[in-house]
């Protein structure tokens, strides 16, 4: 097959010798060859195997499903397939008759698993959990049955020896597990390797041996032993005299578990063993666990293992303590009293003939407790996962931003978080890098590119409208504005509120007014941005140098009076709302479409002259001085040429200039209803998820030159990939 592919790619010419390929399948005769020779045989096998399942009623061992056919190509058997695939291959063998009539020679074996529908899977799949809970329950009952019922009784020699019987229980439970492994996988033995079958048999044999040795060793260490026990005790008389025989047996029995625990806490050593080619290590790993290919050699770090282990230790301690003091210990006294009562004539003699103790009553009162003991682990897990998950989430900053309202309040820290996590930085500027104003603006510029692409992608998916997009977009960094230009949805209603605040302000001190404005960072940014952007728009729109000088003088007076704290003395704030209305109309005209240039230009001139008249005559106390200085009379009937008539209307078609006008118009017109932007729930979810992920404890982005490079294969010739 590889030779045929190579021949097709090189145009039927050998890449080294230049000879022509002489193979029956050296090139594809037509476009359907691959479909006919590869896809069709596999499809026919799948189709006929699906018919053999009898509508899902046939036994799982009678037909091959998708998993079996898929695992076939992950085994060495797939190398026996010829090219092209023929109908006589082992993989293609099937039968059209019903499953219960399939001859043995026609029925292909399963790969390594045959479903056996039985409740014993509950024990086989969770054997370690069942064994631990049964052993713990037995130990707690033994300790609680002592006269004082205190856990301190465990240090008594006789009680401790009785508690050690839990390992006998474990030996029988391991024997049951080994037997289930053999019974539930027996139908797949024809396809299993010999080493896998041998492992099952040896596991069962070892479990059976321990199930015999441990009871005998324990019985030899107690008094009143039977004759059989005394016979085995004579063989170990030296150890029996010291009473250590059962202890040694338990120590040897627990050695594999102790070694497995050490490997669990030493993942690096286990990783070395999994990759080792030593025969001894290979034999040990073969016995300890089945060989895995996916994820082999990949283990969690030591800190993660310690956290995981500590979580389950605390959970099990609370669960066992609750079970002991609340469930088991209160029943010991009543159980002893019931067992001491002698039964002369049992009333239900048909069910319990010749009964001298109330064992049925004891079973009846203990059965619910046993069920609760087994099932309450899930309750404790829910409690601990909630507590630890909440603590871990708080420490990892999960859910830092859950709603759009929280995003509005935390948006100022989003650019910094973005640059901290996703923008690589050198060690020199890491310390205190976000305290510098220039660095802050640089961070915001980097963030604005990603944020705008994110918003544009949601608009492309029609999750948000054009209005929502304009309110969410962040303008790219500009040197024309001295403050950070936040998205308009954060600045909604700030300009109208600031105008009303200035109109209603009655005091004479500028400090109080500016303090109120600066108290809200978004309002301060909106006011400064509107002032500087409007100045830039009007100044660039004017063509006459005298008009520009007038605008420049007005802005100079504003800046000087603010610095000298004389702004309220030199400007009348009661006319600010009328100025805002004119500015809103002016910006709307700049964004409107027009057919007649002269009419459109005259409309803009009229509104602009109204704005300048309000500023110079109504708002500024000494605005007439500017008029006298430049000999200007606005809207005067005695002068043929008026000011602010020479405008660069072509500038309205400039994209970047128009974007400034659009943003300024949004700041003037958007009300507080923009707080609910965006209205689409999925868009809100995406925005909060994106911003919240920036505050999580994730590794910082490395520099590109520090990243591990990818290996690339360079081919000598270029050709189309098939």
């Amino acid at each position: 097959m590889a030779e045929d592919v190579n021949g097709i790619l090189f145009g039927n010419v050998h890449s080294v010798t230049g000879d022509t390929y002489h193979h029956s399948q050296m090139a594809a005769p037509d476009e359907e060859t691959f479909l006919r020779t590869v896809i069709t045989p596999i499809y026919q096998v799948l189709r006929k195997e699906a018919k053999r399942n009898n509508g899902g009623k046939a036994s799982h061992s009678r037909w091959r499903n998708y998993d079996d056919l898929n695992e076939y190509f992950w085994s060495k058997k797939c190398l026996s397939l010829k090219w092209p695939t023929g109908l006589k291959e082992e993989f293609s063998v099937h039968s059209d008759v019903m499953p219960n009539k399939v001859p043995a020679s026609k029925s292909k074996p399963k790969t390594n698993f045959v479903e056996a529908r039985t409740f014993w899977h509950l024990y086989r799949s969770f054997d370690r959990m069942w064994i631990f809970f049964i052993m713990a329950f037995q130990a707690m009952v033994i300790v609680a049955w002592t006269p004082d019922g205190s856990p301190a009784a465990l240090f008594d020699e006789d009680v401790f020896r009785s508690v050690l019987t839990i390992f006998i229980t474990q030996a029988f439970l391991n024997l049951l597990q080994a037997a289930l492994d053999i019974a539930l996988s027996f139908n797949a033995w024809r396809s299993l390797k010999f080493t896998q079958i041998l492992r099952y048999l040896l596991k069962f044999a070892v479990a059976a041996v321990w199930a015999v040795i441990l009871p005998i060793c324990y019985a030899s260490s107690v008094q009143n032993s039977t004759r059989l026990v005394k016979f085995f005790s004579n063989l170990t008389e030296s150890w029996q005299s010291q009473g250590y025989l059962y202890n040694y047996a338990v120590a040897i029995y627990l050695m594999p578990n102790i070694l497995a625990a050490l490997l669990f806490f030493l993942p690096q050593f286990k990783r070395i063993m999994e990759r080792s080619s030593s025969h001894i290590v290979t034999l040990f790993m073969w016995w300890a666990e089945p060989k895995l290919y996916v994820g082999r050699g990949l283990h969690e770090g030591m800190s993660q293992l310690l956290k995981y282990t500590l979580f389950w230790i605390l959970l099990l301690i609370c669960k066992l303590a609750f079970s002991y003091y609340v469930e088991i210990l209160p029943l010991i006294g009543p159980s002893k009293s019931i067992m001491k009562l002698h039964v002369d004539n049992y009333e239900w003699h048909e069910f319990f003939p010749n009964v001298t103790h109330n064992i049925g009553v004891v079973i009846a009162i203990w059965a619910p407790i046993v069920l609760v003991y087994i099932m309450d682990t899930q309750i404790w897990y829910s409690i601990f996962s909630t507590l630890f998950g909440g603590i871990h989430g708080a420490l990892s900053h999960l859910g830092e931003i859950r709603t759009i309202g929280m995003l509005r309040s935390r948006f100022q820290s989003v650019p910094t978080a973005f640059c901290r996590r996703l923008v690589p930085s050198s060690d020199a500027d890491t310390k205190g890098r976000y305290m510098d104003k220039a660095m802050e603006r640089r961070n915001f510029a980097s963030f604005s590119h990603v944020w705008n692409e994110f918003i544009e992608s949601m608009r492309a998916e029609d999750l948000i409208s054009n209005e929502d997009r304009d309110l969410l977009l962040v303008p790219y960094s500009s040197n024309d504005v001295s403050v950070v230009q936040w998205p308009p949805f954060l600045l909604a209603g700030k300009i109208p509120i600031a105008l009303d605040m200035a109109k209603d302000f009655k005091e004479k001190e500028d400090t109080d007014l500016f303090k109120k404005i600066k108290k809200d960072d978004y309002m301060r940014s909106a006011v400064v941005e509107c002032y500087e952007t409007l100045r830039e728009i009007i100044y660039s729109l004017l063509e006459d140098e005298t008009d520009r000088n007038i605008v420049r003088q007005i802005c100079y007076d504003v800046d000087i009076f603010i610095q000298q704290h004389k702004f309220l003395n030199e400007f009348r704030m009661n006319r600010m709302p009328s100025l805002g209305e004119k500015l809103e109309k002016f910006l709307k005209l700049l964004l409107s479409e027009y057919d007649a240039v002269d009419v459109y230009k005259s409309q803009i001139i009229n509104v602009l002259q109204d704005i300048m008249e309000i500023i110079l005559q109504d708002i500024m106390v000494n605005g007439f001085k500017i008029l006298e200085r430049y000999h200007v009379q606005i809207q005067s009937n005695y002068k043929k040429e008026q000011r602010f008539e020479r405008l660069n209307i072509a500038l309205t078609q400039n994209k970047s200039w128009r974007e400034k006008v659009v943003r300024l118009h949004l700041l003037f017109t958007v009300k507080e209803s923009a707080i609910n932007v965006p209205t689409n729930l999925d868009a809100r979810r995406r925005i909060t998820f994106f911003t919240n992920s920036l505050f999580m404890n994730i590794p910082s982005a490395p520099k590109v030159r520090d990243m591990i490079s990818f290996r690339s294969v360079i081919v000598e010739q270029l050709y189309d990939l098939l």
Side-chain angles (χ1 to χ4, degrees), residues 225-245:
S225 303
T226 60
R227 294 182 179 180
L228 179 62
V229 173
K230 289 181 179 180
F231 172 76
F232 286 100
S233 300
N234 293 331
L235 300 178
T236 57
E237 182 177 358
S238 59
W239 285 355
Q240 180 191 355
S241 60
Q242 300 176 3
Y244 294 146
L245 177 60

Side-chain angles (χ1 to χ4, degrees), residues 21 35 78 92 179 261 359 377 390 417 420 422 482 556 565 663 685:
Y21 281 96
L35 177 65
C78 70
S92 303
I359 187 64
T377 306
R420 184 187 301 116
L422 301 180
S482 60
Y556 176 78
H565 303 287
R663 177 174 172 83
R685 180 189 61 81

Side-chain angles (χ1 to χ4, degrees), residues 63 123-124 192 199 262 268 292 316 352 433 513 556 632:
W63 63 285
Y123 178 80
R124 187 193 180 199
L192 293 180
R199 182 174 178 272
L262 292 177
Q268 296 180 350
L292 301 175
L316 292 176
F352 303 100
R433 56 173 293 191
L513 177 60
Y556 176 78
V632 175

Side-chain angles (χ1 to χ4, degrees), residues 135 138 161-175 207 210-219 221 246 250 253:
M135 293 172 60
Q138 178 182 350
R161 186 182 296 111
S162 300
V163 171
L164 289 180
T165 56
I166 61 176
F167 298 107
I168 300 176
T169 304
Q170 182 185 11
F172 281 99
L173 294 176
N174 286 334
L175 178 62
W210 282 113
V212 174
I213 292 178
L214 289 180
I216 293 177
C217 293
Y218 177 77
S221 62
Y246 181 69
V250 169
Y253 176 73

Side-chain angles (χ1 to χ4, degrees), residues 495-506 512-513 516-517 523 573:
I495 296 300
I497 294 175
L499 293 177
D500 294 337
M501 185 186 302
K503 181 192 69 172
D504 299 334
F505 193 76
K506 303 301 181 181
D512 297 334
L513 177 60
K516 287 185 177 182
I517 295 177
M523 181 179 292
M573 295 290 100

Side-chain angles (χ1 to χ4, degrees), residues 399-411:
E400 194 87 0
I401 297 177
R402 298 184 296 275
T403 62
I404 295 296
M406 299 179 67
L407 173 62
R408 291 172 58 88
S409 61
R410 296 289 305 276
F411 198 88

